[in-house]
Each structure stands twice: as structure tokens, then as C-alpha cells.
Amino acid sequence: QVQLVESGGGLVQAGGSLRLSCAASGRTFSSYAMGWFRQTPGKEREFVARINWSGGRTYYADSVKGRFTISRDNAKNTVYLQMNSLKPEDTAVYYCAAEVSGGDYDSRRVQAYDYWGQGTQVTVSS
């Protein structure tokens, strides 16, 4: 069983930055691919970013490419999402997720991920 705990959400003005963290339990974190998703009320959870097990490959939704950066520190069992140039439409609950297979491929489906955190709220004011 893997537990994921997100932190770093909050209220920020448009154009500002936030850094989300996701701390994972377990000794096999370094073998997992990790993803960030977000969800707003009444909408489906949507893919934001993904990083493979080593950190050598990253993938982004077109809506955040060039503004968000996903990274990981396997020594700390933590994955990060640096969010810059935030827009009001980035407002959502952000979730981190773990895919046990850790594959070096671009997987954006919610169903591909095995474990989820509880989410952290990000609110961007205009």
C-alpha cells in the first residue's frame, strides 16, 4: 500500500507561482511513475503532468506546458509541481498519483494510476 500526501496549495493572484509537493510512503517510490491531475466541480479529473521513475522523462498537458514543471527527488520520496504564471483557469483541486509500473511512456488516463492522494486546493484570483 502506498500513501500519497499533497501539500503546498493555497490562494495566489494571477501571474503568481506555487509549488506543490507530494510525499509518498514506501520503499519502492523510485520505481513508480508519478502524475499530477486536477479537478474542478462538475468536471472530470484531468491530466496535468507526468514523470517517469527516474525523472528523465516528463509529459505535460498543452494547457500547462511552458508554465508548470514536474520533478522528483527519489531520496526524499517526493514529487513536485512548480506552477508559474498561474491563471484563474488553473483553479482546481490538484491530486498526485502513482503508477506502479513506472513506465517510460505518456499515460494520461486516470485509470492508469494505482494510488492517489487526497488532493490540495489551488485557487488563482484574477
Side-chain angles (χ1 to χ4, degrees):
Q1 187 72 15
V2 175
Q3 289 188 323
L4 304 173
V5 180
E6 301 97 335
S7 61
L11 174 63
V12 64
Q13 289 189 331
S17 298
L18 281 175
R19 187 195 197 200
L20 304 183
S21 299
C22 173
S25 64
R27 292 178 291 178
T28 54
F29 172 80
S30 61
S31 68
Y32 300 157
M34 299 296 295
W36 285 97
F37 289 74
R38 64 188 182 187
Q39 189 170 23
T40 54
K43 292 190 176 181
E44 293 186 352
R45 195 167 295 188
E46 67 170 357
F47 170 81
V48 175
R50 172 184 170 95
I51 189 165
N52 77 327
W53 64 275
S54 69
R57 294 195 178 191
T58 57
Y59 309 89
Y60 297 94
D62 287 344
S63 60
V64 307
K65 197 173 296 183
R67 300 188 297 122
F68 291 10
T69 302
I70 188 171
S71 61
R72 67 190 297 160
D73 185 339
N74 286 342
K76 295 183 178 179
N77 277 18
T78 302
V79 63
Y80 305 97
L81 186 69
Q82 177 67 44
M83 305 186 295
N84 299 329
S85 301
L86 282 161
K87 305 175 181 180
E89 51 263 44
D90 294 318
T91 295
V93 177
Y94 283 70
Y95 298 89
C96 73
E99 183 190 354
V100 173
S101 69
D104 291 340
Y105 46 80
D106 187 358
S107 178
R108 303 179 181 223
R109 298 182 305 115
V110 169
Q111 296 83 355
Y113 293 81
D114 303 289
Y115 300 101
W116 292 84
Q118 83 289 348
T120 185
Q121 176 70 47
V122 171
T123 303
V124 184
S125 63
S126 57

